[in-house]
Amino acid sequence: MKTTNRFLKFILQDTDKKTVRKFLVQHKFSSSQLHNLKNKGGLIFVNHKQRHFNFRLKTGDELLVVLSSEAPSDLIEPMAGKIDVIFEDEYLLVVNKPPGIASLPAKAKSSKTMANLVKAYLIEHHENSSIHLVTRLDRDTSGLMVFAKTSYAHSLLDQILHTDDFQKFYLAMIYGQLTPPTGLIDLPIGIDPAAFYLRAIDHQKGKASQTIYQTKAVYPGGSLVELKLLTGRTHQIRVHLSAVGHPIIGDEMYSKKKDPRIKRQALHCFNLRIIHPVTKELLNLKAPLPEDMVVLKGALRGERNG
């Protein structure tokens, strides 16, 4: 299997640390990445000459870091299939996940997941096919998912994941109307004692969880709500909306009822605003509302199909 090296270029500024090792630590290289750089085929060039970690730098030096190759994991098989690429560069891949497909394989490896599809896509495009999942979505939630192409990019993204540099916005269709129409749900979430795969509000053992919401449209019997995650708990939006008495339409797990108008929870990650951790460019990425939620919106408005 072909693996590819990744290149990072830096120009030394006055405020930068002046040895290679300290400079790399300053620029968010973890100890394991430094180890890989030193022992697994990474290279460092200063002004086009190969140097070691203890080399002294000066302002204006050009530093080229050749990241060590990453062997892809055998745990995720490449599986061919169509993926909807929203953004891609040498560091990141952002895809629009359809509903009904998991983000990562469970212990049984046979079913197709986004990770399997992305791995096949990377191999087809002669990329390093190590999978670095930055954000995941529940099987029946649709929308934007972020993959990093290297462990270095993954670690940079992890460091900004729950900050203003990495903002995640969702659209949900809920039963009823939230009061007030805009606000913050601040309720701790823990594992539901009734079932390990469920989550519940737990004021004793739960982890702090915050979701900002804004009502975008009101219909007879339902609403369209925009939500912004300030924390990243499992099932966070679903649990929070259920806890305040307005579960997501179609979310049988938390609303305790089936809805004939949609076959899954009406929840979609429609917008990511990310300060690119390498280029510092603002990525404002969007994924349109999927067809089943468009149909549901029409039903809530009282429109009839056909």
Side-chain angles (χ1 to χ4, degrees):
M1 166 126 354
K2 178 181 175 184
T3 57
T4 58
N5 286 328
R6 298 273 166 210
F7 302 86
L8 297 170
K9 287 184 180 178
F10 303 93
I11 302 292
L12 267 288
Q13 307 299 314
D14 285 341
T15 53
D16 285 327
K17 302 289 186 186
K18 294 301 192 283
T19 67
V20 169
R21 179 188 289 277
K22 288 180 179 176
F23 175 87
L24 294 174
V25 170
Q26 179 187 1
H27 285 265
K28 309 291 180 66
F29 279 75
S30 67
S31 55
S32 65
Q33 284 154 2
L34 292 174
H35 174 83
N36 289 344
L37 201 52
K38 186 175 181 180
N39 300 302
K40 295 190 176 178
L43 298 168
I44 294 160
F45 295 89
V46 180
N47 302 329
H48 312 291
K49 292 184 179 175
Q50 190 174 347
R51 300 297 188 187
H52 297 291
F53 279 177
N54 59 358
F55 183 78
R56 287 203 62 78
L57 301 162
K58 62 185 185 300
T59 301
D61 280 350
E62 182 182 290
L63 185 73
L64 175 69
V65 180
V66 184
L67 299 174
S68 44
S69 295
E70 297 178 30
S73 165
D74 292 334
L75 297 174
I76 296 173
E77 290 177 43
M79 296 186 186
K82 187 174 180 296
I83 63 170
D84 182 9
V85 176
I86 301 296
F87 174 85
E88 182 175 13
D89 67 5
E90 62 225 85
Y91 307 104
L92 312 180
L93 176 68
V94 182
V95 301
N96 181 18
K97 182 183 96 62
I101 181 168
S103 296
L104 276 173
K107 286 178 182 168
K109 296 184 288 184
S110 56
S111 63
K112 190 178 286 190
T113 71
M114 290 307 298
N116 301 111
L117 294 173
V118 165
K119 186 166 185 175
Y121 173 86
L122 293 173
I123 290 169
E124 184 186 343
H125 290 78
H126 308 293
E127 296 268 6
N128 177 356
S129 60
S130 291
I131 295 295
H132 298 279
L133 182 65
V134 180
T135 64
R136 70 179 69 198
L137 296 173
D138 297 339
R139 175 186 290 275
D140 288 327
T141 299
S142 55
L144 296 169
M145 279 181 67
V146 180
F147 290 84
K149 289 189 175 181
T150 66
S151 64
Y152 177 63
H154 191 184
S155 104
L156 292 181
L157 286 161
D158 267 351
Q159 290 169 52
I160 63 169
L161 196 51
H162 300 299
T163 73
D164 284 344
D165 286 353
F166 197 122
Q167 299 183 53
K168 294 189 281 186
F169 299 86
Y170 291 74
L171 289 171
M173 290 171 190
I174 64 170
Y175 294 106
Q177 286 90 40
L178 286 156
T179 307
T182 298
L184 170 71
I185 303 172
D186 186 357
L187 293 169
I189 294 175
I191 295 172
D192 191 326
F196 72 91
Y197 55 87
L198 294 174
R199 297 296 182 268
I201 304 304
D202 184 340
H203 291 283
Q204 273 71 50
K205 298 180 185 173
K207 293 181 178 176
S209 309
Q210 293 92 26
T211 307
I212 294 172
Y213 70 86
Q214 182 180 2
T215 301
K216 305 300 283 185
V218 172
Y219 312 109
S223 312
L224 175 66
V225 182
E226 181 181 305
L227 305 117
K228 179 185 175 186
L229 286 180
L230 299 185
T231 51
R233 310 299 175 211
T234 300
H235 299 176
Q236 178 173 319
I237 290 173
R238 300 165 66 187
V239 173
H240 270 172
L241 288 170
S242 178
V244 297
H246 299 283
I248 299 172
I249 295 172
D251 189 357
E252 193 178 344
M253 188 178 282
Y254 291 104
S255 71
K256 308 298 185 199
K257 60 183 176 184
K258 281 192 175 184
D259 196 297
R261 298 170 294 182
I262 192 166
K263 293 178 179 175
R264 51 113 180 181
Q265 65 263 9
L267 181 61
H268 177 68
C269 181
F270 82 101
N271 184 204
L272 293 174
R273 294 177 204 162
I274 305 168
I275 302 294
H276 193 298
V278 179
T279 68
K280 306 305 178 187
E281 171 193 2
L282 171 63
L283 305 178
N284 187 13
L285 308 175
K286 295 188 177 177
L289 208 58
E291 187 179 357
D292 61 350
M293 286 181 67
V294 172
V295 170
L296 175 60
K297 186 158 74 166
L300 289 169
R301 283 174 169 160
E303 298 167 8
R304 293 180 180 274
N305 284 332

